[in-house]
Amino acid sequence: MRSPPTPRGPISERLIAVLRGESPPDSLAGSDLPVFADPLADEDLQLALYLCYELHYRGLPGVDDSWEWEPALLALRRELEIRFEDALRCAVPPADDPARAAGIDLALRAIAEQDGPSLSSYIKVSASLEEVREFVVHRSAYQLKEADPHSWAIPRLSGAPKAALIEVQSDEYGGGRAEWMHAELFARAMRALGLDSEYGAFLDVIPGITLATVNLMSLFGLHRRWRGAIVGHLALFEMTSSIPNRRYGEGLRRLGFDGDATLFFDEHVTADAVHENIAAVDLAGGLARQDEALANDILWGARALAHLDERWASHLLESWNDGRTSLLRELSELEAASAGQVLAPG
Ligand SMILES: [Fe+2]
Ligand SMILES: [Fe+2]
């Protein structure tokens, strides 16, 4: 990210002004939030929340690191989180009956097998190169920090589920080889597709509906009370990864790409076939066996992921079906403005 993002409404405008030192921190206090028609896709809410969370990851350009624990900013973040959580509970009602630890992996499997719009099938068979590049830009909001939100859970766990989480995360982080970190493999795929792989380079064109999928992980990861949900999120993420990634790789090959462009996707076909069992049985099942009271949260975290992912996939497919960009601006327009490179398959 080279410069602070463009505000998308009054909340992100006030937040960015404060972070840039143009307004005092106390101007965040008592921020009256409006009623959001659709908090799960609201541009202003999701960008403001995303920026609050970024202070816990790589920080923001030109923003002092001490903002991470500034009480006025945390108070705003809490208000945004309350709206986000309320909307999630509305969209994904928590189960009334307590779930049992014994059936957690099967319950997760049932969520994984629910029918939804198949973005991966579309990309495999029909997507244009521009659509695939848009898909990669959307995914960059998470993949360039892949695994980081789930790592917040490590100190919150103990024993067998902690060991399982670290086994998965070790692969995500390249098993000691920086060039094999999944975030780095994704950056290579971006470059192979002629896209800027710098962290946060596309934030200004990534819509709230996509930012919400990343904010969900940050919310779950940063709050110990949501340790069940972040575990359920990771388990479902791993369980729904292998087959779609095979299709994404096939789509890229159909368009003439290979090598660096497909390595990230190919790697996930094999890695996540292993991760899904560790995550479902040892991590999620292990945590539920340790503390059965967390079983419902584990499943709810998975269902929240499924819901936001389905909305996100529908947004992409509907946008493309209508012949418009799924981003906030056309990539070609953005690249023309920044004199982007000419794209050639290779
Ligand atoms: Fe990965
Ligand atoms: Fe994985």
Side-chain angles (χ1 to χ4, degrees), residues 146 168-169 171-172 182 234 237-238 241 268 271-273 275-276:
E146 184 176 341
V168 171
Q169 297 299 83
D171 283 348
E172 306 295 345
H182 290 183
L234 179 58
F237 202 94
E238 299 292 343
S241 169
H268 281 83
D272 288 345
H275 290 172
E276 68 170 273

Side-chain angles (χ1 to χ4, degrees), residues 179-194:
E179 69 277 17
W180 280 96
M181 291 174 72
H182 290 183
E184 178 51 32
L185 297 183
F186 193 81
R188 283 164 68 176
M190 291 186 82
R191 292 192 288 272
L193 289 164

